[in-house]
Every structure is written in structure tokens, then in C-alpha cells.
Amino acid sequence: MVRRFLDKAAYDISKYALVMALPGIAFLLMAPVDTVTRLAVVSGLIIAPATAMIRLNGAAANAVRKYMLTIVPDFMGKSLLLLVFVASWIAMTGELSLAVVAVAFIVLSYLTAWASGGLLGSNGVVGWGRDSASLRLGNAWSARAFPLVIVAMSLIAMADYLTLVATMLLPKAEVAQVGLAIRLAALVGFFTQASQQFILRDLTGALHERKPDEVRNLLLRTNLACAAVIGAALIGFAVLGKWVLGIFGDDYVPAYTVLLLLMVAQGLRALGGLNVHLLSLGGGQRKLGRACLAVFVIILALASLLAPAMGIQAIGWAAIALS
């Protein structure tokens, strides 16, 4: 059953990535956009299947308690390999181009995906997969997949969505300020999300075995750990936030207030983060999907209302209101 699920997931990843990537690449090659934008977006479309396979292998690694394979390939492996490549290339040639970086990132992404799957053995995926599931199972999994895509976007891509909202509503200089604050807050949020991922197997087992006391203990320990991390980060940014932002340039210091607002939002999300997993485990995928879709719409509407009067702080208050 697990093998069929992994094969089906890898097959669907490849199929849908190809369906979406080919028209996108064809459009970008003909669209009147600059070369840098075209190269960046085309590279992102090509990398999409590899990124999805890395995430799939990460979930499988978490299920078998190989926690290093849960986070290292996705969040550190590709970046460190790319950094080593860039440093080596500059040392050898004395120059660097965007095309070289793009090609290297594509190659390293697929190597990381294949390596993570290979290290997992029978519990991972290394190729495009095949649709070996029965029609009944395939339909059952597919029915739950679309709502969870929206949920995954709200968990994984919320920082990117906030940046996109800021891009639509604010001047370019303020977008840069908000973008940096969002990334710093997301960096702290990564540690809380990772800690939540690590207990999912134990939480699933406790729910399946109907052990409410163990479920409550797991949730309490995780919430306390997340609150401690967010609390320490919030105090740290309250004291050193302007200095941290100033490292990137004096123009970024005005993002201090929005950085603190985003940290508060991260804290609220962390304390309620496992509710998403509990609903999903309980079969509430459709409810989750509708709620997360509403979140995207309300954030845009609220930020649009607040931005004229509050500027960059509108993004922070919108994030708090929805968290």
C-alpha cells in the first residue's frame, strides 16, 4: 500500500509538473519579458518536479523517523551544494553568470531528489513513478489531494504570498523592506514547523490507538517548545532587530515594526499549527482547503484596506489577524 502510494504520488508529480511547465515555458520564451526574468521563471518550472520529490521523500523520511533526511535535503542540502559550486566556479574562472547558476541549481536539485530517495531505499522515490494503484484507491487519494494542495500552500508558501501581496500594494522600496522582514520571520518559523513535523508519526499512532492522554502530552510539549522558540526570537528581535536589519543596509531599518508584527503572527501560527494536522488526520481535508483558500482572500482584502493608511505595517497586521 505504501509503495503504491509513493509510486502514485511520484507519477502525479511528474504528470502535473509537465502539464503546467510546458505551456509556461512556451509562453515565457515568446513573452516580452527581460532575459533575467525569463531564465529565472523557466528554471523554477524545470526544478518544480525535483522540489516536489524532495518534499515527498522528506515526508516519507519523517514517517520512518529518519529525521535528518526530513530537513537536510530540502532546507540545507541544495543551498550548501549551490554555495560550494558558486565558490568553486568563481575560484576557477574568476566570473559568474546567471545562466551558470541556473543550470547548476537545476542539476543540483535533481541530484538532491535522487540522493534523498536513494538513501531511503524502498521508502523513497527516485524517478517519475508509475500509477500502480487501483482505480478505487487512486480516486480516493485524488479526492483528498486538491484540498491538501491549498493547505500545503498556506503552510509552505505563506511567506511568498505575503511578499506577492506587498508587491501589489506597496512601492518597490517598501516591498524590499517587507520582503526582508518576512524572510527573517519565516526563518524562525521554519524551526517551529520542523519540530511539529517530527512528532507527526507519534501523534498519528496515538490517535490511531485511541490514547487521548498521549495525544494531549504530545501537543502540550510541542506547543511549549514552539512558544519558547518564538518568545526567544521575539525578545531577540525586539532588542537587536534594528541592528539585524541594518546589516542589510540602512534602508531596511524601517521594517523593524513589521518584523515584530510578523514574529507575533508566527507565534500564533505555531501555537495552532498542529490543528491543521489534526484536522487532516481526522478526514477534514475539504474543510481545511476551504479555510485556507479563505485565508488567502482575506489577507489580500485586509492588506488592501490597511495599506493606504499604514504602509508596510499593513502586511504585519493582516498576518496577525489571519493567524
Side-chain angles (χ1 to χ4, degrees):
M1 176 72 78
V2 173
R3 186 66 257 170
R4 288 202 298 270
F5 175 81
L6 291 172
D7 285 340
K8 169 72 171 172
Y11 174 80
D12 285 346
I13 286 169
S14 306
K15 179 176 66 177
Y16 291 118
L18 187 64
V19 167
M20 291 187 292
L22 289 180
I25 292 173
F27 171 77
L28 284 167
L29 291 176
M30 297 182 291
V33 296
D34 60 88
T35 303
V36 172
T37 301
R38 183 179 291 113
L39 181 60
V41 177
V42 169
S43 299
L45 290 171
I46 294 173
I47 289 169
T51 302
M53 280 194 287
I54 292 171
R55 293 281 170 88
L56 179 60
N57 284 327
N62 192 57
V64 295
R65 291 193 173 95
K66 294 184 177 181
Y67 297 123
M68 291 302 291
L69 289 177
T70 301
I71 59 173
V72 171
D74 194 10
F75 297 101
M76 289 180 279
K78 291 184 299 181
S79 301
L80 289 176
L81 288 173
L82 184 62
L83 181 63
V84 171
F85 171 82
V86 168
S88 302
W89 184 272
I90 294 174
M92 290 187 298
T93 65
E95 58 183 18
L96 186 68
S97 68
L98 180 60
V100 170
V101 175
V103 171
F105 195 50
I106 291 170
V107 173
L108 291 174
S109 295
Y110 279 95
L111 288 177
T112 302
W114 292 327
S116 62
L119 290 171
L120 283 169
S122 61
N123 295 310
V125 295
V126 295
W128 307 123
R130 57 192 180 90
D131 192 354
S132 60
S134 66
L135 182 62
R136 183 179 61 83
L137 272 177
N139 289 338
W141 291 336
S142 297
R144 298 183 178 188
F146 180 71
L148 289 178
V149 168
I150 301 173
V151 174
M153 289 174 62
S154 71
L155 292 174
I156 299 170
M158 185 55 73
D160 299 306
Y161 180 69
L162 288 173
T163 304
L164 180 62
V165 170
T167 303
M168 292 188 290
L169 300 176
L170 301 173
K172 289 184 178 179
E174 293 183 354
V175 171
Q177 295 170 351
V178 172
L180 178 59
I182 289 171
R183 289 302 166 186
L184 289 173
L187 184 63
V188 176
F190 160 74
F191 292 101
T192 62
Q193 291 177 16
S195 65
Q196 292 170 351
Q197 293 291 325
F198 291 156
I199 72 156
L200 280 182
R201 172 165 176 164
D202 294 330
L203 181 63
T204 303
L207 287 168
H208 179 71
E209 295 171 10
R210 301 177 185 268
K211 297 179 178 178
D213 291 338
E214 186 175 341
V215 171
R216 283 193 291 270
N217 287 334
L218 284 169
L219 295 177
L220 178 61
R221 291 205 307 268
T222 304
N223 281 349
L224 288 175
C226 291
V229 171
I230 294 293
L234 186 57
I235 293 171
F237 279 131
V239 176
L240 300 172
K242 291 183 179 180
W243 177 79
V244 172
L245 291 166
I247 293 174
F248 300 91
D250 293 339
D251 292 336
Y252 292 98
V253 175
Y256 172 73
T257 302
V258 73
L259 173 61
L260 296 183
L261 292 174
L262 290 168
M263 285 305 308
V264 172
Q266 283 285 8
L268 294 172
R269 286 187 68 197
L271 292 177
L274 279 168
N275 291 335
V276 172
H277 300 297
L278 289 171
L279 281 169
S280 180
L281 291 170
Q285 291 88 352
R286 293 183 183 276
K287 292 180 181 179
L288 274 173
R290 289 194 294 269
C292 292
L293 190 59
V295 164
F296 287 120
V297 175
I298 296 172
I299 282 180
L300 178 58
L302 189 58
S304 300
L305 289 173
L306 296 177
M310 304 183 69
I312 61 175
Q313 294 184 30
I315 305 299
W317 284 113
I320 287 177
L322 269 297
S323 293

